[in-house]
Amino acid sequence: MTLNEVTISRAILEEQHQTFLDYLEMDVAVVGGGPSGLACATLLAEKGIKCALIEKKLSIGGGMWGGGMMFPRIVVQEEARRLLDRFGITYREFEPGYYVTKSVETVAKLTAAACDAGVEFFNLITVEDVMIHGDGRVGGLVINWTPVDISGLHVDPLTVACTCTVDATGHDAMVARMIERKGGSLQVKGESFMWAERAESQILNHTREVFPGLFVTGMAANAVAGECRMGPIFGGMLLSGERAAELVAERLGR
Ligand code: 48H
């Protein structure tokens, strides 16, 4: 077989062009590919819901890669151990109820689960705004290539439509902040100080629809609520992703 460079280019362009066209309209857009977004997107896609994960960086995984202070280990508590098992993530019990996992394995296995479930990934794309029409709901996202954003080039964006949006953008709660900045009735209080017990015990209460069509999960949920941070314990991120998926599926009647 003789390789043809143009065929390789055509394969990439045709495939992704078709995928992009297909995802101009979707059920759910999850913004942010950290642990909460990955868990949420996977569980939605497993229900047959058409779900895209939009991530501004090259890599999926958000803040998990670095573990705690660049020691590539994370901790998951008892309440979320069943999710480690569900995603086939290996762990060691450090003390009763504290399970240590390798951050790289955790990212890899969550990402693999998302692929297997049928989540479509759009990496290197930044969500820069939301679309809201007369019904007052978030009905779509305004997107652009991250390199355009980084370089400050004046290039107009494109828009995708989605029935529900999940803000899984972590500490900055970027999507919620866009709505707040433009005068939507949504207040982002900003995350509070470190208190792992409180942060982890409250995160499911904060995982909710904060604006018509917009759900928050993970660190973004705590940031919107003015809730504490928790450091490198990740059970709450996985459980919050799961809760967000349940709420979104319910909203979609699935
Ligand atoms: C597209 C975007 C945009 C945008 C951001 O930070 P993450 O890992 O988020 P979570 O909430 O799933 O997990 C939080 C966890 O990693 C963490 O930081 C913890 C537990 N901290 C506790 C503490 O005390 O410090 O991932 C968010 C993702 C990132 O990959 C961003 O690149 C991406 O969202 N993102 N993607 N468009 N506008 N903004």
Side-chain angles (χ1 to χ4, degrees):
M1 168 185 173
T2 310
L3 288 175
N4 181 315
E5 293 85 350
V6 172
T7 305
I8 296 168
S9 302
R10 188 177 291 117
I12 290 169
L13 289 177
E14 274 191 21
E15 187 72 17
Q16 193 58 14
H17 183 239
Q18 196 47 55
T19 303
F20 218 139
L21 282 174
D22 190 27
Y23 276 79
L24 286 177
E25 290 170 312
M26 63 189 120
D27 296 325
V28 186
V30 175
V31 187
S36 66
L38 278 169
C40 178
T42 302
L43 298 172
L44 286 168
E46 280 181 359
K47 288 184 193 290
I49 292 168
K50 185 177 177 184
C51 178
L53 192 151
I54 305 174
E55 167 56 54
K56 74 175 179 183
K57 292 192 180 144
L58 184 56
S59 62
I60 303 301
M64 229 173 355
W65 295 103
M69 214 182 98
M70 294 205 283
F71 294 94
R73 295 287 189 278
I74 58 173
V75 171
V76 169
Q77 66 273 46
E78 185 62 47
E79 288 80 355
R81 178 156 68 117
R82 63 183 174 77
L83 289 172
L84 295 179
D85 290 332
R86 190 183 204 288
F87 294 117
I89 299 162
T90 56
Y91 52 85
R92 185 174 80 79
E93 188 173 41
F94 179 71
E95 275 185 20
Y98 291 76
Y99 302 94
V100 190
T101 80
K102 296 174 179 172
S103 59
V104 173
E105 179 185 338
T106 309
V107 171
K109 291 201 168 153
L110 285 174
T111 308
C115 295
D116 290 346
V119 174
E120 196 61 60
F121 287 94
F122 292 89
N123 63 336
L124 283 171
I125 291 181
T126 296
V127 172
E128 63 167 57
D129 205 347
V130 296
M131 177 173 79
I132 299 178
H133 286 181
D135 61 1
R137 287 179 58 79
V138 176
L141 297 171
V142 182
I143 58 172
N144 214 329
W145 300 114
T146 299
V148 166
D149 186 44
I150 291 173
S151 59
L153 289 171
H154 184 162
V155 179
D156 272 2
L158 293 175
T159 304
V160 293
C162 44
T163 310
C164 292
T165 298
V166 180
D167 184 345
T169 61
H171 294 263
D172 296 330
M174 290 302 290
V175 184
R177 280 195 195 279
M178 287 163 200
I179 293 173
E180 181 187 45
R181 205 171 48 238
K182 293 202 168 176
S185 60
L186 171 58
Q187 191 196 358
V188 180
K189 293 184 179 162
E191 79 185 30
S192 187
F193 44 76
M194 174 83 83
W195 183 357
E197 168 59 27
R198 190 184 153 88
E200 290 284 289
S201 65
Q202 292 303 310
I203 195 164
L204 293 185
N205 295 332
H206 302 316
T207 304
R208 59 189 187 87
E209 188 172 13
V210 290
F211 189 86
L214 178 69
F215 297 74
V216 285
T217 185
M219 208 50 226
N222 274 15
V224 169
E227 188 54 81
C228 292
R229 64 187 299 191
M230 68 293 287
I233 181 158
F234 280 74
M237 298 302 119
L238 301 176
L239 291 166
S240 172
E242 179 186 50
R243 170 64 60 86
E246 287 164 4
L247 295 172
V248 170
E250 201 178 299
R251 170 68 72 250
L252 295 171
R254 306 287 280 271

